[in-house]
């Protein structure tokens, strides 16, 4: 089928695409560098792209103002303080959180997560409950919890959809009658998986809170393509990185804390900017109230106004339009990938996570298999994609729990791999062991669409992967895997 007919088929199956055509014009005017360099960008879950106008507006501001370190009374400082506070108000407005939440600027989502982890009142008898699907910066909070004697538990995922196993999650939430002020419990999950694109149910927030839990919502992979209304769902803590939403600036993230939950957090230290008073001789300090008590040292103050610019850009495009566009493209990608077959009829692609569009976002993770059912080396796919000027991502995306669930890797599998791969983890050896233990893969290939994605981008990717048809040259698999039954095919069976 030629390109025009394919596009015709696409718009017929996704008529709502018509609501997003202003994004094609935006791509041509604001993201022209992609086409000028013949690049296809498919890593929006890794980082968003900025519009040319965002940079211009920000640099015009820097050029036209004299801006100094905020929080003093000089004109340059007061101007800077005003711009930082304006950005803070814009963040709260964007999430419909003004008056209810405090916005704490951090370096990134990880910085925001660490603030919660180190300051949450974990205690012996208390709990940290998290989904197996989580970024490592959420997984890492288990170290703070365990160090303070709290119980750490993971809620498993279902296979092959990689959704939360809700009965198991509910049983864990109900453990010991829920969480109490004396034995506090923090429950953490991502609104959208950075591995599978699954959108976990936000209704879980209220369910957990009804049983005494505090909820930490990792919104980093969700907010770039979905609206989040913090009057509709009210987690105690929400984290995000702004570069994922609109590409620029990097180095600024945010922790949103519900105001009534702010007194729960007890900072384990103080530093410049976080105290109203500190004495060396008297060995005491008084922490600043509100966000100031959490913003260590000097803020990335020149970059923070670019957050307001980025939010305005996103709002002018329309978060719903971005969401619709990403949904249409993702549905098309999935349908096309699932239809790819070698000449012998065997499927070429194994998708991880949902293959329908219910409760899923624009992140699609996969591995390729050759005509004999042998795994294709995802590292070689990345290299070849790079040669074709396509940016995608491979590995485990800092989300080991989702990857292990996707491949049904058990603690035994992981121990065997770790033992064989040695303390420094020889990845080649590790991958071999995973193959030997049932054709499992230690990593995958991830693509994701966003604000500047076009149908042509997606078609370039599909054409690229079509080139793996009948190829055996990129194989690393040592066993033959049947994608449809998810089983290793033994010789002669
Ligand atoms: C779901 C999720 N949470 C947290 C993070 C961490 O973000 P950052 O690296 O900006 O701290 C990421 C980054 O990929 C993510 O996708």
């Amino acid at each position: 089928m030629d390109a025009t007919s394919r596009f015709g088929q696409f718009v017929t199956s996704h008529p709502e695409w018509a609501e997003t055509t202003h994004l094609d014009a935006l791509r041509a005017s604001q993201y022209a560098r992609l086409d000028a360099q013949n690049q296809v960008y498919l890593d929006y879950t890794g980082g968003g792209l900025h519009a040319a106008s965002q940079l211009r507006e920000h640099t015009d501001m820097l050029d036209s103002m004299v801006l100094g370190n905020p929080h003093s009374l000089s004109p340059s400082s007061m101007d800077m303080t005003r711009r930082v506070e304006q950005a803070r108000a814009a963040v709260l407005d964007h999430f419909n959180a003004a008056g209810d939440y405090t916005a704490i600027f951090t370096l990134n989502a990880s910085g925001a997560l660490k603030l919660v982890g180190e300051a949450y009142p974990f205690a012996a008898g208390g709990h940290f409950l998290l989904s197996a699907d989580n970024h490592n910066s959420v997984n890492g909070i288990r170290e703070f919890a365990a160090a303070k004697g709290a119980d750490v538990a993971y809620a498993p995922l279902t296979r092959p959809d990689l959704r939360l196993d809700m009965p198991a999650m509910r049983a864990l939430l109900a453990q010991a009658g829920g969480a109490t002020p004396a034995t506090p419990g923090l429950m953490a999950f991502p609104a959208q998986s950075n591995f599978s694109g699954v959108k976990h149910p936000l209704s879980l927030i209220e369910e957990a809170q009804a049983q005494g839990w505090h909820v930490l919502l990792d919104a980093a992979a969700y907010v770039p393509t979905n609206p989040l209304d913090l009057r509709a769902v009210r987690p105690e803590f929400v984290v995000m990185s702004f570069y994922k939403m609109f590409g620029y600036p990097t180095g600024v993230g945010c922790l949103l804390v519900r105001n009534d939950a702010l007194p729960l957090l007890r900072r384990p230290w103080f530093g410049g900017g976080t105290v109203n008073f500190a004495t060396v001789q008297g060995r005491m300090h008084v922490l600043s109230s509100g966000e100031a008590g959490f913003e260590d040292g000097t803020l990335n103050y020149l970059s923070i106004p670019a957050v307001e610019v980025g939010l305005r850009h996103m709002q002018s495009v329309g978060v719903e339009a971005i969401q619709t566009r990403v949904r249409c493209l993702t549905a098309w990608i999935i349908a096309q990938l699932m239809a790819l077959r070698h000449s012998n009829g065997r499927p070429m692609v194994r998708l991880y996570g949902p293959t329908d569009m219910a409760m899923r976002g624009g992140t699609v993770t996969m591995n390729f298999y050759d005509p004999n059912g042998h795994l294709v080396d995802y590292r070689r796919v990345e290299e070849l994609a790079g040669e074709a000027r396509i940016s995608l991502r491979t590995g485990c995306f800092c989300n080991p729990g989702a990857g292990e669930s996707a491949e049904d890797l058990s603690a035994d599998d992981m121990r065997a791999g770790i033992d064989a791969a040695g303390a420094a983890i020889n990845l080649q050896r590790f991958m071999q062991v995973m193959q030997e233990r049932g054709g499992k893969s230690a990593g995958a290939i991830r693509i994701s669409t966003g604000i500047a994605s076009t149908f042509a981008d997606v078609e370039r990717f599909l054409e690229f992967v079509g080139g793996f048809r009948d190829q055996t040259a990129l194989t690393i698999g040592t066993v033959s895997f049947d994608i449809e039954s998810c089983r290793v095919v033994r010789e002669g069976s």
Side-chain angles (χ1 to χ4, degrees), residues 206-228:
E206 209 175 307
E207 238 182 276
Q209 287 169 334
Q211 293 175 76
W213 293 81
H214 301 120
V215 178
L216 165 56
L217 183 71
D218 178 356
Y222 183 80
V223 288
T225 55
N226 299 283
L228 177 65

Side-chain angles (χ1 to χ4, degrees), residues 45-46 108-111 113 135 137-138 190 192 194 218 220-221 241 243-244:
T45 303
N108 44 36
S110 301
L113 289 161
H135 190 274
S137 298
V138 180
Q192 182 172 314
N194 72 322
D218 178 356
S241 277
Y243 70 87
K244 287 197 195 290

